[in-house]
Amino acid sequence: QNWANEIKRFTPGLSVIKIHGGLSERDRLMSRDDVMRGEFDVYLTTYDTYLSEEAFFTESFLFNTVIIDEGHRLKNVNSKLCKGLARLNSPY
């Protein structure tokens, strides 16, 4: 929730969707037409949700920019998280 609050505070003009929660909640969010059409400026998620829903993030969109918090989790380039994030389609 902290990142969502910071985005609203410092960039109120950006639209944000949080992709998170249990499986049924994630399915509900990811099947929304506005989500699938890429109508949000920011898609906010957690590492665990990203790993669980990697196909959604890697096959559905071209992200202009990817920002990763807690970069210390990426020290091991052979980790599942690092390999998964490397599959994101983004120029930055």
Side-chain angles (χ1 to χ4, degrees):
Q1 184 62 38
N2 184 53
W3 274 108
N5 292 338
E6 295 294 304
I7 292 167
K8 286 180 184 177
R9 179 176 173 201
F10 293 105
T11 55
L14 295 180
S15 59
V16 179
I17 183 85
K18 292 190 305 182
I19 306 295
H20 65 100
L23 181 59
S24 61
E25 174 68 3
R26 292 191 316 264
D27 285 346
R28 184 186 68 76
L29 290 166
M30 293 184 301
S31 65
R32 287 176 39 177
D33 287 339
D34 56 350
V35 171
M36 291 305 298
R37 287 192 304 264
E39 293 182 7
F40 292 91
D41 298 308
V42 177
Y43 284 70
L44 185 60
T45 195
T46 65
Y47 287 132
D48 292 332
T49 299
Y50 174 80
L51 289 172
S52 296
E53 304 297 344
E54 186 178 331
F56 171 79
F57 291 102
T58 58
E59 297 170 10
S60 300
F61 306 101
L62 166 63
F63 291 98
N64 290 322
T65 304
V66 175
I67 299 169
I68 300 170
D69 191 19
E70 300 183 31
H72 66 276
R73 294 199 51 193
L74 305 176
K75 285 183 180 179
N76 180 355
V77 296
N78 295 314
S79 71
K80 184 176 179 180
L81 178 59
C82 238
K83 289 180 179 180
L85 289 171
R87 287 189 282 276
L88 273 173
N89 193 7
S90 174
Y92 300 101

